[in-house]
Amino acid sequence: MARKTATPQLTQDHTELIVLSVLSEGPSYGYSISKQIAARSEDEFRIGASQLYPLLTKMEKQGLVETDWEEIKSKSADPDAPGRKRKWYRLASKGERRLQQRIEAHKRFTSLINSFIATDQAAGAVA
Amino acid sequence: MARKTATPQLTQDHTELIVLSVLSEGPSYGYSISKQIAARSEDEFRIGASQLYPLLTKMEKQGLVETDWEEIKSKSADPDAPGRKRKWYRLASKGERRLQQRIEAHKRFTSLINSFIATDQAAGAVA
DNA sequence: TCAAGATATATCGGATTCAGATATATTGCA
DNA sequence: TGCAATATATCTGAATCCGATATATCTTGA
């Protein structure tokens, strides 16, 4: 079975835009970011672990985000046991600037695409 | 020097949408399609030969476009000489349907992206 | 109790795609 | 005459995609 055509595939640029958007609403961590994106897009945008984690690492290296590890204590288990780890990402000021850039670039992108399909819209609108 | 961030990079899906749009206005050939896209996007969308020709071949195999070779006769040279060849592409009905699909998918895509950046728009709009 | 599914991070690896460079040939113009 | 433009096409190293795999913890319910 081939790739679905519901929406065009997400490029890393667009994925970065979405991830930065999510983080602009407050710190989050990988798994949650991925779930939020799926939920908020009605499952049409799916960022798998194999795309998300390398991207987050890249963004961290570029100084767009800053991170903290959280040690999640189990409610039931031994309080000295090493709980699950969660890596929190929060938007750095450089990331905020990048987000605004990406938003502008996306607007420009959309506007250009629209200029190409404008004529077809008319042609395709034959009732 | 890294890739420019003026607009997000074009995926094959988006490139196909644009190429189909151009062809919906009438038959064209590779070199011309590439020039039209550059001109109409103020040089922001550049489809190089190494992306365009494989894509056109793929589209032809999928039955989205039909082709004809044109033999361009030289004005000055020997009329029996083998002139330059030009491969014309015209939209097949399957391609028209694909174009409408891609337009719908793009609208959905844009709408989803906008839903993510909507909140940032407000946040970023601090004057 | 204990198995299954969800949570959580991360990498591997084959396939695809990207985009500059290369190849080849003709045409138009200064 | 020689160079830029026209015209199609492939090569190739790098980047990217995405399903699968690895590892480990937590939660829920039969």
Side-chain angles (χ1 to χ4, degrees):
Chain A
M1 194 70 79
R3 199 173 47 71
K4 59 182 173 306
T5 47
T7 52
Q9 77 264 60
L10 283 174
T11 62
Q12 207 172 62
D13 280 358
H14 275 117
T15 303
E16 191 185 277
L17 166 58
I18 294 172
V19 170
L20 287 170
S21 281
V22 169
L23 288 178
S24 78
E25 290 161 26
S28 190
Y29 52 94
Y31 188 80
S32 172
I33 292 170
S34 141
K35 291 291 166 190
Q36 282 180 64
I37 292 173
R40 290 174 55 178
S41 70
E42 284 157 41
D43 238 44
E44 281 198 74
F45 291 161
R46 261 175 247 168
I47 319 291
S50 58
Q51 279 119 272
L52 185 57
Y53 290 112
L55 175 61
L56 286 171
T57 301
K58 192 177 165 188
M59 288 166 67
E60 189 182 359
K61 276 180 191 153
Q62 292 177 348
L64 305 178
V65 293
E66 288 157 355
T67 63
D68 287 296
W69 281 99
E70 179 193 7
E71 195 89 7
I72 307 172
K73 296 289 174 189
S74 167
K75 287 172 190 165
S76 48
D78 174 7
D80 290 338
R84 181 191 289 159
K85 280 176 182 177
R86 197 180 266 165
K87 193 174 183 182
W88 287 87
Y89 292 83
R90 63 193 135 78
L91 210 55
S93 55
K94 197 171 172 184
E96 285 172 40
R97 289 195 296 278
R98 172 67 63 88
L99 174 56
Q100 293 307 317
Q101 279 169 23
R102 287 262 182 257
I103 289 174
E104 287 312 307
H106 172 70
K107 283 189 196 168
R108 176 90 181 120
F109 176 81
T110 301
S111 150
L112 280 173
I113 298 275
N114 285 342
S115 77
F116 278 94
I117 65 181
T119 40
D120 301 301
Q121 284 300 82
V126 178
Chain B
M1 194 72 76
R3 197 174 47 73
K4 59 184 174 306
T5 46
T7 52
Q9 75 266 64
L10 282 174
T11 61
Q12 208 172 62
D13 281 355
H14 275 117
T15 303
E16 191 186 276
L17 167 59
I18 293 172
V19 170
L20 288 170
S21 281
V22 169
L23 288 178
S24 78
E25 290 161 26
S28 190
Y29 52 93
Y31 188 81
S32 171
I33 292 171
S34 142
K35 291 292 164 190
Q36 281 181 64
I37 292 172
R40 289 174 55 177
S41 70
E42 285 158 41
D43 237 43
E44 281 198 73
F45 291 161
R46 263 176 245 169
I47 319 291
S50 58
Q51 280 117 270
L52 185 57
Y53 290 111
L55 176 61
L56 286 172
T57 301
K58 192 178 167 187
M59 287 165 67
E60 188 182 0
K61 277 180 191 155
Q62 293 177 348
L64 305 178
V65 292
E66 287 157 356
T67 62
D68 287 295
W69 280 99
E70 179 193 7
E71 195 89 7
I72 306 173
K73 297 289 173 191
S74 169
K75 287 171 190 165
S76 47
D78 174 6
D80 290 337
R84 181 192 289 160
K85 281 178 183 176
R86 197 181 265 167
K87 194 175 184 182
W88 287 86
Y89 292 84
R90 62 193 136 80
L91 210 53
S93 55
K94 197 171 173 184
E96 286 172 38
R97 288 195 296 277
R98 173 68 63 89
L99 173 57
Q100 292 307 317
Q101 279 169 23
R102 288 260 183 258
I103 290 174
E104 286 312 308
H106 173 70
K107 282 188 194 168
R108 176 94 181 116
F109 176 82
T110 301
S111 150
L112 281 173
I113 298 274
N114 285 342
S115 77
F116 277 95
I117 65 181
T119 41
D120 301 302
Q121 284 301 81
V126 179

